[in-house]
Amino acid sequence: MATTARDLGQRFHAALITGDWPAIRSMLHDDASWTLPGDNTISGTVVGADAVVDRARKIASYGLSFELLHVLVSRENMALSLHNTAQRPDAILDEYLTTVCRLRDGRIADIETYLSDVPGMNAFFV
C-alpha cells in the first residue's frame, strides 16, 4: 500500500518527537535539503539526507516540544503546522511554524521551514 502525503507527515512528526533518526532518514531522498530562516546555529540550507537528519537531531537536542497542529497536503506535497516550545534559564522559545516538504516518489526531496518569530529563534538557538 502506497504511503500518502498525510501518512508521511504523521510518520515524520512521530519520528521527530521520539528521536527515531533512522526512520527520518528512510523518508528522505539522498539529495534532500532543508532550509531554515534566521541567523543562528540551525539557520541556512543543508544538503544531503544525513545533513537533514543531523539538523533534526540538533534541533531536538535543545529540548523542544514539537506540538503537531495540522498535517497539510497539496496535490503533490505536504506541510507540518507546528507549535514549538522550549525553555532554558536564559531564553524561551515559543514559535509557530510550517515546515513545507516537497515530495518526490513518496519521499521527502526538499524541506523549507517558515517561522512566526525569527528573532526569537535567533535568540534561542545559540
Side-chain angles (χ1 to χ4, degrees):
M1 180 175 178
T3 299
T4 68
R6 181 173 308 283
D7 292 337
L8 186 63
Q10 290 169 335
R11 286 179 35 231
F12 187 89
H13 177 258
L16 181 62
I17 62 173
T18 61
D20 188 347
W21 313 122
I24 289 177
R25 175 64 179 84
S26 74
M27 295 177 223
L28 302 168
H29 281 277
D30 289 342
D31 63 347
S33 65
W34 188 357
T35 302
L36 279 159
D39 183 20
N40 60 71
T41 189
I42 63 166
S43 294
T45 301
V46 295
V47 178
D50 292 335
V52 170
V53 171
D54 288 345
R55 174 173 278 171
R57 185 188 316 250
K58 185 171 191 172
I59 292 169
S61 77
Y62 281 80
L64 271 66
S65 170
F66 303 99
E67 178 189 0
L68 180 62
L69 303 176
H70 302 283
V71 176
L72 308 165
V73 296
S74 71
R75 185 175 180 103
E76 298 175 359
N77 302 299
M78 66 86 177
L80 301 175
S81 174
L82 300 169
H83 179 211
N84 290 353
T85 56
Q87 188 170 345
R88 293 194 326 252
D90 62 337
I92 294 174
L93 182 73
D94 187 355
E95 65 185 4
Y96 291 88
L97 61 100
T98 299
T99 294
V100 177
C101 299
R102 288 169 195 83
L103 308 180
R104 185 173 75 234
D105 302 323
R107 290 192 296 156
I108 298 168
D110 178 65
I111 303 170
E112 185 171 4
T113 299
Y114 298 78
L115 293 166
S116 66
D117 183 10
V118 174
M121 174 195 177
N122 287 339
F124 192 80
F125 290 100
V126 292

